[in-house]
Amino acid sequence: MEASERARLDAYFTRVTSHFSPSQRPAAFLITHLLPERPAFVRAVAGATDLRAVLPKPKSVDAEAQREIESNGFVCDKLSRELFAEPDRAVRYIEARAEGRSVLLLDVGGYFAPSIEMLCSRFSGRIIGVVEDTENGHRRYAELGKLPCPVVSVARSPLKEPEDFLVGQSVVFSAEALMRSRGNILHGRTALVIGFGKLGSSIARLLHAKGVRVTVYDIDAVRRTQALAQGFAVARALGDGLEDAGLVLCATGSLSLRGEDFGRLRNGAYVATVTSSEDELDLASLADVYERAHVGRYITRYLTTGHYFYLLNGGNAVNFLHGASVGPFIFLVQAEILAASAVLARGGFEPGMHEIGPADRATIAATWLDYFNQ
């Protein structure tokens, strides 16, 4: 990032935090994709909170970005699902970093969800709330039912729609780049998009624009009708779509392909996801059936008698192989996370799922336009 771009981004976040920041600064734990532009957001979070630790998502860490934030004095701790899957371990971790404090949890993918009840009841301080960035994480918290603290989700915000569209573009770009490395192209191929939410619908439209014959499968009947209305073929059952697809893109944020589903893939099909293998794919069930071999950079062939398919990036989000950049539009979402953090710090919400209001979103959009509509 050039010095002038860095200065503009820091000025933007300074204006956002000065507008939204409360008088009290809670302790905070930040889970994030540590991409090249992310240190500016980390500094902004630290300006609005007492940032106790940054927990980079393990499959999306830019080494230079991590060095930068660590050189600025921020702690980077290792993140895994296991860290917060076991409530006692989660409580010990938060206690070690923020004993007795009011704590804000900034989440990407529902990492804190399995332990949130125990954190709220046993932590020596107080969990004032969670800010969740993704649809996958939104669902993880919503499925808990009665929440012990407020959870503010930005996953369904209109300010996130530009990011979702551009993430779809980066997913298609990266999938095609890997296929081309083996002499294959998208044009003329058949594809199955599993999940027709914001990301899945963006991916389907972009594939169609590249001359791909796209079929959609979604467990939600409403989304299947939406796909039909937009001109896509819709599989009546997942297996039907798998058998004809040369490319399968999983965009559900939950389990898309179980062990028995892989056997329905046509020979030579490519499989990619937009989240992570632990969320989308039941790969563990294949260990005793398929032999694995790396046949290209980030391409693994799964082979058994009479059947083979290719898995891209080990089943993890394929777009992170090429930077996953969505340009300055990501700063809209990051500003909303800062605004949500300020509302929680002021005690503005009761326990349950929440969103920030349209007036705050309008302020963020107007600020963003002042800095990036150039």
Side-chain angles (χ1 to χ4, degrees), residues 254-300:
S254 56
L255 187 59
S256 293
L257 295 179
R258 293 170 171 81
E260 62 271 20
D261 296 322
F262 289 95
R264 306 290 294 273
L265 291 165
R266 64 184 286 184
N267 273 341
Y270 289 87
V271 178
T273 77
V274 304
T275 52
S276 67
S277 57
E278 63 189 16
D279 293 326
E280 295 272 4
L281 307 174
D282 179 17
L283 295 177
S285 65
L286 305 183
D288 296 331
V289 181
Y290 286 84
E291 295 180 359
R292 293 180 299 170
H294 295 291
V295 295
R297 195 176 185 194
Y298 305 116
I299 303 174
T300 305

Coordinates of all heavy atoms in Angstrom, one line a residue, residues 254-300:
S254 N -22.0 -24.0 5.5 CA -22.2 -25.2 6.3 C -21.8 -26.4 5.5 O -21.3 -26.3 4.4 CB -23.6 -25.2 6.8 OG -24.5 -25.2 5.8
L255 N -22.1 -27.6 6.0 CA -21.7 -28.8 5.3 C -22.4 -28.9 4.0 O -23.6 -29.1 3.9 CB -22.0 -30.0 6.2 CG -21.4 -31.3 5.6 CD1 -19.9 -31.3 5.5 CD2 -21.8 -32.5 6.6
S256 N -21.7 -28.9 2.9 CA -22.2 -29.0 1.5 C -22.1 -30.4 1.0 O -23.0 -30.9 0.3 CB -21.5 -28.0 0.6 OG -21.7 -26.7 0.9
L257 N -20.9 -31.0 1.1 CA -20.7 -32.4 0.6 C -20.3 -33.3 1.7 O -19.3 -33.2 2.4 CB -19.6 -32.3 -0.5 CG -19.8 -31.5 -1.7 CD1 -18.6 -31.5 -2.7 CD2 -21.1 -32.0 -2.5
R258 N -21.1 -34.4 1.8 CA -20.8 -35.4 2.8 C -20.1 -36.5 2.1 O -19.9 -36.5 0.8 CB -22.1 -36.0 3.4 CG -22.9 -35.0 4.3 CD -24.3 -35.4 4.6 NE -24.8 -34.5 5.7 CZ -25.4 -33.4 5.4 NH1 -25.4 -32.9 4.2 NH2 -25.8 -32.6 6.4
G259 N -19.6 -37.5 2.8 CA -18.8 -38.6 2.2 C -19.4 -39.2 1.0 O -18.7 -39.4 0.0
E260 N -20.7 -39.6 1.1 CA -21.3 -40.3 0.0 C -21.5 -39.4 -1.2 O -21.7 -39.9 -2.3 CB -22.7 -40.8 0.5 CG -23.7 -39.8 0.9 CD -23.6 -39.5 2.4 OE1 -22.6 -39.7 3.0 OE2 -24.6 -38.9 2.9
D261 N -21.5 -38.1 -1.0 CA -21.7 -37.2 -2.1 C -20.5 -37.2 -3.1 O -20.7 -37.0 -4.3 CB -22.0 -35.7 -1.7 CG -23.3 -35.6 -0.8 OD1 -24.2 -36.3 -1.2 OD2 -23.3 -34.9 0.1
F262 N -19.3 -37.3 -2.6 CA -18.2 -37.3 -3.4 C -18.2 -38.4 -4.5 O -17.7 -38.2 -5.6 CB -16.9 -37.4 -2.6 CG -16.6 -36.2 -1.8 CD1 -17.0 -36.1 -0.4 CD2 -16.0 -35.1 -2.3 CE1 -16.8 -35.0 0.3 CE2 -15.7 -33.9 -1.6 CZ -16.1 -33.9 -0.2
G263 N -18.7 -39.5 -4.2 CA -18.8 -40.6 -5.2 C -19.7 -40.3 -6.3 O -19.7 -40.9 -7.4
R264 N -20.6 -39.3 -6.2 CA -21.5 -38.8 -7.3 C -20.8 -37.9 -8.3 O -21.4 -37.6 -9.3 CB -22.7 -38.2 -6.7 CG -23.5 -39.0 -5.7 CD -24.2 -40.2 -6.3 NE -25.2 -39.8 -7.2 CZ -26.5 -39.6 -6.8 NH1 -26.9 -39.7 -5.6 NH2 -27.4 -39.3 -7.7
L265 N -19.7 -37.3 -7.9 CA -19.0 -36.4 -8.8 C -18.5 -37.1 -10.1 O -18.1 -38.2 -10.1 CB -17.7 -35.9 -8.1 CG -17.9 -34.9 -6.9 CD1 -16.6 -34.7 -6.1 CD2 -18.4 -33.5 -7.4
R266 N -18.6 -36.4 -11.2 CA -18.2 -36.9 -12.4 C -16.6 -37.0 -12.4 O -16.0 -36.2 -11.7 CB -18.7 -36.1 -13.6 CG -18.2 -34.7 -13.6 CD -18.8 -33.9 -14.8 NE -18.2 -34.3 -16.1 CZ -18.5 -33.7 -17.2 NH1 -19.4 -32.7 -17.2 NH2 -17.9 -34.1 -18.3
N267 N -16.1 -37.9 -13.1 CA -14.6 -38.0 -13.2 C -14.0 -36.7 -13.7 O -14.4 -36.1 -14.7 CB -14.2 -39.2 -14.1 CG -14.1 -40.5 -13.4 OD1 -14.0 -40.5 -12.2 ND2 -14.2 -41.6 -14.1
G268 N -13.0 -36.3 -13.0 CA -12.2 -35.1 -13.4 C -12.9 -33.8 -12.9 O -12.4 -32.7 -13.3
A269 N -13.9 -33.8 -12.1 CA -14.6 -32.6 -11.7 C -13.6 -31.9 -10.7 O -12.8 -32.5 -10.0 CB -15.9 -32.9 -11.0
Y270 N -13.7 -30.6 -10.7 CA -13.0 -29.7 -9.8 C -14.0 -29.3 -8.7 O -15.1 -28.9 -8.9 CB -12.4 -28.5 -10.5 CG -11.3 -28.7 -11.4 CD1 -11.5 -29.1 -12.7 CD2 -10.0 -28.6 -10.9 CE1 -10.5 -29.3 -13.6 CE2 -8.9 -28.9 -11.8 CZ -9.2 -29.2 -13.1 OH -8.1 -29.4 -14.0
V271 N -13.5 -29.3 -7.4 CA -14.3 -28.9 -6.3 C -13.6 -27.7 -5.6 O -12.4 -27.8 -5.3 CB -14.5 -30.1 -5.3 CG1 -15.3 -29.6 -4.1 CG2 -15.2 -31.2 -6.0
A272 N -14.4 -26.7 -5.3 CA -13.8 -25.5 -4.6 C -14.9 -25.0 -3.6 O -16.1 -25.2 -3.7 CB -13.4 -24.4 -5.5
T273 N -14.4 -24.3 -2.5 CA -15.3 -23.7 -1.6 C -15.0 -22.2 -1.4 O -14.0 -21.7 -1.8 CB -15.2 -24.4 -0.2 OG1 -14.0 -23.9 0.5 CG2 -15.1 -25.9 -0.3
V274 N -15.9 -21.5 -0.7 CA -15.8 -20.1 -0.4 C -15.5 -19.9 1.0 O -15.4 -18.7 1.5 CB -16.9 -19.3 -0.9 CG1 -17.2 -19.5 -2.4 CG2 -18.2 -19.6 -0.2
T275 N -15.6 -20.9 1.9 CA -15.3 -20.7 3.3 C -14.1 -21.6 3.7 O -13.0 -21.2 3.4 CB -16.5 -21.1 4.1 OG1 -17.0 -22.4 3.8 CG2 -17.7 -20.1 3.9
S276 N -14.3 -22.7 4.3 CA -13.2 -23.6 4.7 C -13.6 -25.0 4.6 O -14.8 -25.4 4.7 CB -12.7 -23.2 6.1 OG -13.7 -23.6 7.1
S277 N -12.7 -25.9 4.5 CA -12.9 -27.3 4.4 C -13.7 -27.9 5.7 O -14.6 -28.7 5.6 CB -11.6 -28.1 4.2 OG -10.7 -27.9 5.3
E278 N -13.4 -27.3 6.8 CA -14.0 -27.8 8.0 C -15.5 -27.5 8.1 O -16.3 -28.1 8.8 CB -13.3 -27.3 9.3 CG -13.4 -25.7 9.4 CD -12.5 -25.2 10.5 OE1 -11.7 -26.0 11.0 OE2 -12.7 -24.0 10.9
D279 N -15.9 -26.4 7.3 CA -17.3 -26.0 7.3 C -18.1 -26.7 6.2 O -19.2 -27.1 6.3 CB -17.4 -24.5 7.1 CG -16.9 -23.7 8.3 OD1 -17.1 -24.2 9.5 OD2 -16.4 -22.6 8.1
E280 N -17.4 -26.8 5.0 CA -18.2 -27.2 3.8 C -18.0 -28.7 3.4 O -18.9 -29.2 2.7 CB -17.7 -26.3 2.6 CG -18.0 -24.8 2.7 CD -19.3 -24.4 2.2 OE1 -20.1 -25.3 1.8 OE2 -19.6 -23.2 2.2
L281 N -16.9 -29.3 3.8 CA -16.6 -30.6 3.2 C -16.3 -31.7 4.2 O -15.6 -31.4 5.2 CB -15.4 -30.5 2.2 CG -15.5 -29.5 1.1 CD1 -14.2 -29.4 0.4 CD2 -16.6 -29.7 0.2
D282 N -16.9 -32.9 4.1 CA -16.6 -34.0 5.0 C -15.5 -34.8 4.4 O -15.6 -35.9 3.8 CB -17.9 -34.9 5.1 CG -17.7 -36.1 6.0 OD1 -16.7 -36.1 6.8 OD2 -18.5 -37.0 5.9
L283 N -14.3 -34.2 4.5 CA -13.1 -34.9 3.9 C -12.6 -36.0 4.7 O -12.0 -37.0 4.1 CB -12.0 -33.8 3.7 CG -12.3 -32.7 2.7 CD1 -11.1 -31.7 2.7 CD2 -12.5 -33.2 1.3
A284 N -12.8 -36.0 6.0 CA -12.3 -37.1 6.8 C -12.9 -38.4 6.4 O -12.2 -39.5 6.5 CB -12.7 -36.8 8.3
S285 N -14.1 -38.5 5.9 CA -14.7 -39.8 5.5 C -14.0 -40.4 4.2 O -14.3 -41.5 3.9 CB -16.2 -39.6 5.2 OG -16.4 -38.7 4.1
L286 N -13.2 -39.6 3.5 CA -12.6 -40.0 2.3 C -11.2 -40.7 2.5 O -10.7 -41.3 1.6 CB -12.4 -38.9 1.3 CG -13.6 -38.1 1.0 CD1 -13.3 -37.0 -0.1 CD2 -14.8 -39.0 0.5
A287 N -10.7 -40.6 3.7 CA -9.3 -41.0 4.0 C -9.1 -42.5 3.7 O -8.0 -42.9 3.2 CB -9.0 -40.7 5.4
D288 N -10.0 -43.4 4.0 CA -9.9 -44.8 3.7 C -10.3 -45.2 2.4 O -10.2 -46.4 2.0 CB -10.6 -45.6 4.8 CG -10.1 -45.3 6.2 OD1 -8.9 -45.0 6.3 OD2 -10.9 -45.4 7.2
V289 N -10.8 -44.3 1.6 CA -11.4 -44.7 0.2 C -10.5 -44.2 -0.9 O -10.3 -44.9 -1.9 CB -12.8 -44.2 0.1 CG1 -13.4 -44.6 -1.2 CG2 -13.7 -44.7 1.3
Y290 N -10.1 -42.9 -0.8 CA -9.4 -42.3 -1.9 C -7.9 -42.1 -1.5 O -7.5 -41.8 -0.4 CB -10.0 -40.9 -2.1 CG -11.3 -40.9 -2.8 CD1 -12.5 -41.1 -2.1 CD2 -11.4 -40.7 -4.2 CE1 -13.7 -41.1 -2.7 CE2 -12.6 -40.8 -4.9 CZ -13.8 -40.9 -4.1 OH -15.0 -40.9 -4.8
E291 N -7.0 -42.2 -2.5 CA -5.6 -41.9 -2.4 C -5.5 -40.4 -2.8 O -6.1 -40.0 -3.8 CB -4.8 -42.7 -3.3 CG -4.7 -44.2 -2.9 CD -3.8 -45.0 -3.8 OE1 -3.3 -44.4 -4.8 OE2 -3.7 -46.2 -3.6
R292 N -4.7 -39.7 -2.1 CA -4.5 -38.3 -2.5 C -3.1 -38.0 -3.1 O -2.1 -38.6 -2.6 CB -4.6 -37.4 -1.2 CG -6.1 -37.4 -0.7 CD -6.1 -36.5 0.6 NE -5.3 -37.0 1.6 CZ -5.0 -36.3 2.7 NH1 -5.4 -35.1 2.9 NH2 -4.2 -36.9 3.7
A293 N -3.1 -37.1 -4.0 CA -1.8 -36.8 -4.7 C -1.8 -35.3 -5.1 O -2.8 -34.9 -5.7 CB -1.5 -37.7 -5.9
H294 N -0.8 -34.6 -4.8 CA -0.7 -33.2 -5.3 C -0.3 -33.2 -6.8 O 0.8 -33.7 -7.1 CB 0.3 -32.4 -4.5 CG -0.1 -32.2 -3.0 ND1 -1.2 -31.5 -2.7 CD2 0.4 -32.8 -1.9 CE1 -1.4 -31.5 -1.3 NE2 -0.4 -32.3 -0.9
V295 N -1.2 -32.7 -7.6 CA -0.9 -32.7 -9.1 C -0.7 -31.3 -9.6 O -0.5 -31.2 -10.9 CB -2.1 -33.4 -9.8 CG1 -2.2 -34.9 -9.4 CG2 -3.4 -32.7 -9.6
G296 N -0.6 -30.4 -8.8 CA -0.3 -29.0 -9.2 C -0.4 -28.2 -7.9 O -0.8 -28.6 -6.9
R297 N 0.1 -26.9 -8.0 CA 0.1 -26.1 -6.8 C -1.3 -25.8 -6.4 O -2.1 -25.3 -7.2 CB 0.9 -24.8 -7.1 CG 1.2 -24.0 -5.9 CD 2.0 -22.8 -6.2 NE 2.4 -22.1 -5.0 CZ 2.9 -20.9 -4.9 NH1 3.0 -20.2 -6.1 NH2 3.3 -20.3 -3.8
Y298 N -1.6 -26.2 -5.2 CA -3.0 -26.0 -4.6 C -4.0 -26.9 -5.3 O -5.2 -26.6 -5.2 CB -3.4 -24.5 -4.7 CG -2.4 -23.6 -4.1 CD1 -1.8 -22.6 -4.9 CD2 -2.1 -23.7 -2.7 CE1 -0.9 -21.7 -4.3 CE2 -1.2 -22.8 -2.1 CZ -0.6 -21.8 -2.9 OH 0.3 -21.0 -2.4
I299 N -3.6 -28.0 -6.0 CA -4.6 -28.9 -6.6 C -4.2 -30.3 -6.1 O -3.1 -30.8 -6.2 CB -4.5 -28.9 -8.1 CG1 -4.8 -27.4 -8.6 CG2 -5.6 -29.8 -8.7 CD1 -4.6 -27.3 -10.1
T300 N -5.2 -31.0 -5.5 CA -5.1 -32.3 -5.0 C -6.0 -33.3 -5.7 O -7.2 -33.0 -5.8 CB -5.4 -32.4 -3.5 OG1 -4.6 -31.5 -2.8 CG2 -5.1 -33.8 -2.9

